[in-house]
Each structure stands twice: as structure tokens, then as C-alpha cells.
């Protein structure tokens, strides 16, 4: 009888010990990603997610990241550009999103970059490309030259705004993430794409403008750095995004997604990367 009591005591002690030992933390499940193409990597080189990341696809207005990158290497931010009727007509005739620019306005390069990146203005893209080619053909050549220098071997540009073109244009998720990393190294670019709203007060040179960022991820999560949205029927809804997580810069892209889903998925992917980084 005493042996049974001792055995029961030992069994209870072992059970208590097992219950006391903390169980290892469970890693977060990989988020479901409905986009056709996706890729997420951090500044330490850790790949957190990949899905057809080397497939060549159209990337819509994510093209404007390269447009901004080239302009920032060509122009002075205080330079003024006169908006032409061709700039306005280009956006309207092609059904592009616009910064609501008007013929005759004289805006700084800095402001036009906000008009390019926040409301994704096709009119701003046309004005910048026309000025810093000079001419759109020469500007696109500069975009492709920059792509080669950055090692974007699967990227080819045909215009400065990402609108569908007969000659086509393509990139990959891997290339888009690499481009974003290079662009975010520029403090001006980083400031612009992280801004939710930019106001241009009315002056004698131009009318007032208020531009809001189409990137809703900025409103959904902390530590988001930008970067750019895009949409065409051919490309689907796209999102190039970045955030600070676990002391690292995490950059990702979703191509061929649905409108609202791209933002919720990007938020989940940033949290997933954060969880993986924190676990070493």
C-alpha cells in the first residue's frame, strides 16, 4: 500500500514537472497568398516568402519606382517643370490615374515626384520623362540602363508609367524588390513614399494640390516605409511594400492580386517576417 502511495506521489511529481516546463513557442503559420507572384526578403538576405518570384510579368505603376529613381539621379529637387497640354492629355487619353495637373503650371521636381508616387499621376510621369530624357524615348533608355546597372536582368521598360504598350514591358518579383531596396537608400525617395498626404499650396506659379497616397498599408500597420501600388487589367493589382521589422528592413511585392487583399496580405507577410526574425 505504501509502495502505491510512493508511486502515485512520484507520478504526480513528474506530471507537475512536465506541466511546469514551458513549451516551445509555436512559429506563425505561413500566410495564405492569393497573388499570382510574390516575394519577401529582409536586409540580412533572409527570404521569408517566394511564389513564382522569377516569373516575368507586367507590373503596372510599379514602373514609376524606376521613373522616380532615374529622376532623382538626374534632377535637382528645386528645378521647375512647366506642365504641357501633352502631359495632361497623355493621362486622360490613356485612362491613367492623374495628379490633376493643369497646362501651364510650374511645379518643382520635388512636388512632381509626390504627384508621381502618391496619386500615381500619369501626367507627372509624362512631364518628368519628357524633361529628363530629354524626351520619353531617351528617358526609357535611361530606365533600362539603370535596370542593367542594378542587376535587374529580367526587367524591361517601355514607358515611364506602366501603362500597357504594344511592345510590352515586364519585370519579376525578385527584380522589383531589388529595385525598391536601391530606391529606399535615397532619403528623398524614402520620405516621399512614406507620406500619406502631400499638400502643394497655391502660388502664382501653380494651383493648389492635395495628393493622398494610394498605399493603404501605411494606415494599417506600424513601421511601414511605403512603397507603391499599381493596377492594369493585364497586371492585376500590385503592391511593392517595405517595413522595419526586428531591426531589419523587410521588402516584399505582390503581383497579380486583388485590390483590398493585397494590403491585408502584405500586413500579414510583414508580421510573419517579424516573427521569423525574432526567432533567429
Amino acid at each position: 500500500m505504501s509502495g502505491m502511495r510512493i508511486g502515485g506521489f512520484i507520478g504526480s511529481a513528474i506530471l507537475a514537472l512536465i506541466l511546469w516546463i514551458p513549451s516551445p513557442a509555436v512559429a506563425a503559420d505561413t500566410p495564405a497568398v492569393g497573388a499570382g507572384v510574390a516575394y519577401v526578403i529582409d536586409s540580412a538576405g533572409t527570404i521569408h516568402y517566394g511564389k513564382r518570384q522569377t516569373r516575368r510579368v507586367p507590373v503596372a505603376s510599379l514602373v514609376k519606382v524606376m521613373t522616380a529613381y532615374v529622376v532623382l539621379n538626374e534632377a535637382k529637387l528645386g528645378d521647375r517643370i512647366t506642365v504641357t497640354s501633352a502631359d495632361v492629355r497623355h493621362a486622360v487619353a490613356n485612362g491613367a490615374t492623374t495628379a490633376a495637373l493643369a497646362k501651364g503650371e510650374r511645379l518643382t521636381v520635388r512636388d512632381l515626384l509626390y504627384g508621381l508616387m502618391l496619386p500615381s499621376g500619369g501626367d507627372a510621369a509624362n512631364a518628368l520623362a519628357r524633361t529628363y530624357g530629354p524626351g520619353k524615348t531617351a528617358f526609357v533608355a535611361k530606365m533600362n540602363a539603370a535596370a542593367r546597372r542594378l542587376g535587374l536582368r529580367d526587367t524591361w521598360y517601355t514607358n515611364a508609367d506602366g501603362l500597357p504598350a504594344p511592345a510590352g514591358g515586364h519585370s519579376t518579383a525578385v527584380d522589383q524588390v531589388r529595385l525598391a531596396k536601391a530606391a529606399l537608400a535615397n532619403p528623398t525617395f524614402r520620405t516621399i513614399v512614406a507620406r500619406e498626404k502631400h499638400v502643394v499650396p497655391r502660388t502664382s506659379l501653380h494651383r493648389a494640390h492635395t495628393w493622398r497616397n494610394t498605399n493603404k498599408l501605411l494606415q494599417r500597420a506600424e513601421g511601414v516605409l511605403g512603397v507603391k501600388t499599381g493596377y492594369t487589367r493585364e497586371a492585376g493589382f500590385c503592391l511593392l511594400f517595405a517595413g522595419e521589422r526586428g531591426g531589419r528592413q523587410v521588402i516584399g511585392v505582390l503581383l497579380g492580386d486583388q485590390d483590398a487583399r493585397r494590403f491585408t496580405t502584405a500586413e500579414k507577410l510583414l508580421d510573419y517576417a517579424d516573427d521569423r526574425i525574432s526567432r533567429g
Side-chain angles (χ1 to χ4, degrees):
M1 190 69 176
S2 61
M4 291 178 64
R5 285 198 299 269
I6 293 171
F9 173 78
I10 293 173
S12 298
I14 292 172
L15 178 60
L17 182 62
I18 291 172
L19 293 174
W20 176 84
I21 296 173
S23 55
V26 178
D29 292 334
T30 305
V33 175
V37 174
Y39 187 58
V40 181
I41 192 171
D42 67 34
S43 51
T46 302
I47 298 172
H48 296 283
Y49 189 87
K51 180 180 181 181
R52 303 188 188 98
Q53 64 265 31
T54 59
R55 182 181 180 185
R56 291 180 174 182
V57 293
V59 296
S61 283
L62 302 194
V63 164
K64 291 168 184 161
V65 174
M66 179 59 88
T67 300
Y69 180 84
V70 171
V71 169
L72 284 166
N73 282 285
E74 293 275 328
K76 294 179 180 177
L77 294 174
D79 288 350
R80 287 197 177 271
I81 295 175
T82 302
V83 178
T84 68
S85 58
D87 300 327
V88 177
R89 189 168 57 248
H90 170 79
V92 174
N94 290 286
T97 49
T98 80
L101 303 180
K103 176 186 174 182
E105 288 191 275
R106 295 188 64 220
L107 290 151
T108 64
V109 167
R110 185 190 298 274
D111 283 334
L112 282 174
L113 285 170
Y114 276 103
L116 175 76
M117 300 303 291
L118 271 62
S120 199
D123 42 7
N126 202 76
L128 290 165
R130 172 180 55 77
T131 303
Y132 291 104
K136 291 187 286 184
T137 299
F139 188 84
V140 171
K142 289 180 178 180
M143 293 171 72
N144 285 313
R148 302 288 82 75
R149 288 195 302 272
L150 292 171
L152 313 185
R153 295 183 179 85
D154 293 301
T155 296
W156 183 253
Y157 296 105
T158 57
N159 55 41
D161 49 36
L163 288 168
H170 58 259
S171 188
T172 66
V174 169
D175 280 3
Q176 285 300 295
V177 166
R178 185 173 293 154
L179 170 60
K181 181 180 180 181
L184 286 165
N186 184 298
T188 300
F189 180 89
R190 186 164 172 158
T191 297
I192 290 170
V193 298
R195 189 75 60 83
E196 290 188 38
K197 182 176 77 171
H198 181 69
V199 176
V200 182
R202 180 183 180 88
T203 73
S204 60
L205 298 175
H206 53 73
R207 59 183 182 174
H209 293 279
T210 299
W211 295 315
R212 289 178 171 81
N213 203 322
T214 57
N215 185 359
K216 297 176 183 178
L217 187 61
L218 290 164
Q219 303 161 17
R220 294 184 61 96
E222 296 294 325
V224 175
L225 304 176
V227 178
K228 186 74 185 71
T229 63
Y231 171 77
T232 63
R233 184 175 297 179
E234 183 183 13
F237 288 94
C238 303
L239 177 64
L240 183 58
F241 60 95
E244 296 287 353
R245 293 292 185 274
R248 301 181 191 177
Q249 186 181 81
V250 178
I251 303 176
V253 66
L254 298 166
L255 304 174
D257 205 351
Q258 296 175 2
D259 188 6
R261 187 176 67 186
R262 58 185 162 164
F263 302 113
T264 58
T265 301
E267 184 178 10
K268 290 175 182 177
L269 285 167
L270 284 173
D271 289 344
Y272 176 65
D274 188 28
D275 182 77
R276 296 186 77 218
I277 291 168
S278 67
R279 296 174 191 282

